[in-house]
Amino acid sequence: MKILVLNGSPMEKSRTRGITKLMKELLEEKGATVEYIDLGLEKLPLFPGDGGNENNMRLKKLYKEAEKADGFFIASPEYHNGMSGALKNALDFLGGSHFKHKPAAIAAASGGSKGGINALNNMRTVLRGLYAMVLPDQFVSDPYCYDEEYNLVDREAVERLELMANLLFEMTEKLAKTQTGQLR
Ligand SMILES: Cc1cc2nc3c(=O)[nH]c(=O)nc-3n(C[C@H](O)[C@H](O)[C@H](O)COP(=O)(O)O)c2cc1C
């Protein structure tokens, strides 16, 4: 069972990466095969709208891993009340064929003061447009949840992420085995 974990922050030092790194480890501990794409380290070109970029290796990887994935974990920083432009740009390269009938869990890193919910709602709306089955549970973190290296260390935050890893793993496994999974 394959899960694609996507870090949607364009930053080279990123709190969102603290979430996705830990999620990768948690899913692998459970036995999932995890592919990992980090938009801060593997920057994509801008979606051109009318073709081009066919030979871009990073795009080829995105297409291939999204197609093979049985489920997704997608995390974004909240920027100006929405997901990052880097993540929206990456999702614009993809389509319903990559996401249809597949579970997706979402997470956000905020600047604090109860931020993050707008990015999550924005991701949920966009992923619905891609026909992903976005799980109702979601994760948001404030800056205090991280150490100086931007590892996610806050105990409650880590426990919440563990619950989400369990849920995403179970839902992906179940759905991949159903007729819906075979219809993809
Ligand atoms: C351009 C920009 C806009 C931001 N807008 C918001 C916002 O609307 N709400 C919020 O809670 N934090 C906002 N922040 C703070 C980031 O969400 C926060 O620093 C987050 O940890 C960044 O994650 P990253 O390090 O993975 O990029 C913004 C940061 C930037 C750079």
Side-chain angles (χ1 to χ4, degrees):
M1 192 186 74
K2 295 189 182 65
I3 297 181
L4 175 57
V5 173
L6 188 56
N7 171 24
S9 172
M11 300 287 184
E12 286 184 12
K13 190 176 178 201
S14 154
R15 292 196 185 95
T16 313
R17 184 174 302 122
I19 304 174
T20 51
K21 272 193 328 187
L22 181 57
M23 179 55 84
K24 179 177 185 296
E25 284 172 27
L26 293 169
L27 290 169
E28 283 175 342
E29 274 168 23
K30 296 190 70 61
T33 302
V34 177
E35 295 299 338
Y36 187 82
I37 293 183
D38 190 316
L39 299 178
L41 303 177
E42 307 168 74
K43 294 189 194 289
L44 297 179
L46 267 185
F47 179 65
D50 53 0
N53 292 316
E54 281 81 6
N55 296 320
N56 184 295
M57 296 307 288
R58 290 173 179 171
L59 273 177
K60 283 187 179 178
K61 178 179 171 189
L62 178 69
Y63 289 136
K64 187 178 89 179
E65 300 309 345
E67 197 175 320
K68 284 194 316 187
D70 299 302
F72 294 85
F73 180 79
I74 303 179
S76 177
E78 179 163 285
Y79 288 167
H80 302 322
N81 288 353
M83 73 174 85
S84 71
L87 177 58
K88 180 62 167 60
N89 181 60
L91 294 176
D92 285 344
F93 280 105
L94 300 173
S97 64
H98 298 104
F99 286 96
K100 198 163 191 178
H101 296 153
K102 297 179 184 178
I106 56 175
S110 85
S113 306
K114 305 221 178 332
I117 189 70
N118 288 312
L120 290 168
N121 285 337
N122 182 215
M123 291 162 79
R124 192 171 283 283
T125 303
V126 170
L127 286 165
R128 192 257 154 225
L130 287 160
Y131 283 88
M133 299 176 81
V134 187
L135 301 182
D137 288 70
Q138 54 194 16
F139 175 89
V140 67
S141 65
D142 281 347
Y144 75 81
C145 300
Y146 298 84
D147 67 13
E148 285 177 2
E149 300 304 315
Y150 286 6
N151 296 301
L152 188 77
V153 290
D154 178 70
R155 190 177 55 81
E156 280 182 22
V158 170
E159 283 173 7
R160 173 112 189 102
L161 207 63
E162 284 169 353
L163 288 176
M164 284 197 60
N166 292 344
L167 189 67
L168 177 62
F169 183 89
E170 276 178 35
M171 294 306 290
T172 305
E173 194 173 45
K174 284 199 175 107
L175 215 58
K177 284 185 190 151
T178 62
Q179 199 185 1
T180 305
Q182 289 155 19
L183 288 175
R184 274 180 209 141

